[in-house]
Amino acid sequence: MAKHIVMLGPPGAGKGTQAKRIAEKLGIPHVSSGDIFRENLRNRTELGRMAEEYINRGELVPDDVTIAMIRDRLSRPDCRDGVVLDGFPRTPAQAAALDTILQEVAGAQVDIVPCIRVPESVLVERLTGRRSCPRGHVYHLKFNPPAEPGKCDHDGLELFQREDDTRETVTHRIQVYNQQTQPLIEYYEKRGVLVNINGDQPIENVSAELFAALAQV
Ligand code: ADP
Ligand code: AMP
């Protein structure tokens, strides 16, 4: 089964939701660039302070900073045998950097890029109703509520609403995706590693489609 996996798709497509499931099933780390930024923000690190203005405006953090952060994370031994990347790469420069990093740290390459497709009209409702756990688990008030309101089912931590999940910022983030990240679809398509997944169906069905695709590689 594929081990170096890049989740692609617009904000709200369900990348984080599905990445957590894949990571658990395959026993590989889930590396979310957004989660790492948010952890740095909470801990008021230099990286967090630097990234904050971009994140809250719904802009991309500059490539050099983001690439250095991911290089550092992928260099850790737990990523050697596989990883599910979520939110990285987001620009052509990041995609090129990822190829180099994977080769350097693991002698590996991107095996498969599931691209989760969801109509734009669905994304806003998904994102404005999202509730997040500090450890990266995500819920939705309507589509995927936690068993106990406001609490993570997995670790009992208090759920929060992301500052960039407001209607205004969400709309901008979708535009940023269309302009800066969408070109990656063609990049990975040309390599023959892109697989389209219908994300506009219940979470379980998306997972079933995804695991079937992963099993082919
Ligand atoms: P991404 O990581 O792509 O931004 P998330 O996995 O955080 O997306 O999902 C965005 C929101 O949509 C969350 O609130 C999540 O619970 C919800 N969600 C994810 N997948 C589905 C789905 N298939 N149907 C309905 N809601 C979903
Ligand atoms: P996400 O959690 O993936 O929705 O990301 C939240 C925010 O973090 C984005 O809107 C960006 O500001 C920033 N971010 C996350 N990943 C990247 C990346 N690969 N490149 C640039 N900025 C990123």
Side-chain angles (χ1 to χ4, degrees):
M1 202 180 249
K3 282 291 182 95
H4 289 88
I5 303 163
V6 169
M7 304 299 289
L8 210 57
K15 300 181 298 296
T17 301
Q18 300 297 335
K20 275 265 175 276
R21 290 171 166 228
I22 295 172
E24 199 167 297
K25 187 145 171 188
L26 301 192
I28 55 176
H30 166 208
V31 172
S32 154
S33 42
D35 284 350
I36 302 176
F37 280 132
R38 280 184 291 278
E39 194 184 339
N40 277 276
L41 231 124
R42 266 197 302 281
N43 296 332
R44 306 307 303 163
T45 67
E46 200 181 319
L47 175 66
R49 279 198 297 269
M50 191 260 137
E52 185 168 21
E53 54 169 318
Y54 295 97
I55 294 174
N56 289 345
R57 285 203 312 260
E59 299 284 345
L60 295 186
V61 178
D63 279 340
D64 53 345
V65 176
T66 307
I67 290 167
M69 177 184 86
I70 288 290
R71 175 185 290 279
D72 187 54
R73 178 65 189 91
L74 294 183
S75 301
R76 289 200 226 148
D78 65 334
C79 290
R80 212 163 287 153
D81 296 329
V83 64
V84 49
L85 278 161
D86 156 20
F88 183 94
R90 258 177 158 97
T91 64
Q94 292 181 15
L98 176 63
D99 292 338
T100 309
I101 294 169
L102 281 183
Q103 196 52 248
E104 274 175 22
V105 303
Q109 53 202 4
V110 174
D111 295 309
I112 184 168
V113 181
C115 180
I116 307 187
R117 304 278 188 167
V118 176
E120 239 176 75
S121 54
V122 174
L123 299 174
V124 177
E125 191 185 3
R126 283 203 186 172
L127 291 169
T128 51
R130 173 161 64 185
R131 295 294 179 270
S132 306
C133 153
R135 299 222 176 111
H137 300 102
V138 291
Y139 299 85
H140 191 280
L141 291 177
K142 188 157 122 195
F143 305 131
N144 183 28
E148 192 184 329
K151 276 223 168 113
C152 179
D153 294 349
H154 296 271
D155 45 39
L157 292 177
E158 199 175 321
L159 303 181
F160 67 98
Q161 181 168 24
R162 282 170 45 174
E163 276 198 41
D164 60 347
D165 276 348
T166 56
R167 185 168 292 268
E168 196 187 22
T169 312
V170 158
T171 308
H172 184 59
R173 283 161 57 208
I174 295 168
Q175 280 169 0
V176 167
Y177 171 83
N178 288 337
Q179 284 161 7
Q180 304 194 49
T181 309
Q182 233 175 8
L184 299 190
I185 294 179
E186 198 184 325
Y187 179 83
Y188 288 119
E189 221 162 31
K190 280 197 179 134
R191 286 238 213 124
V193 289
L194 192 97
V195 184
N196 285 304
I197 303 290
N198 174 15
D200 192 17
Q201 50 179 342
I203 292 174
E204 287 300 333
N205 300 28
V206 179
S207 295
E209 207 176 305
L210 248 175
F211 282 114
L214 293 177
Q216 301 286 310
V217 182

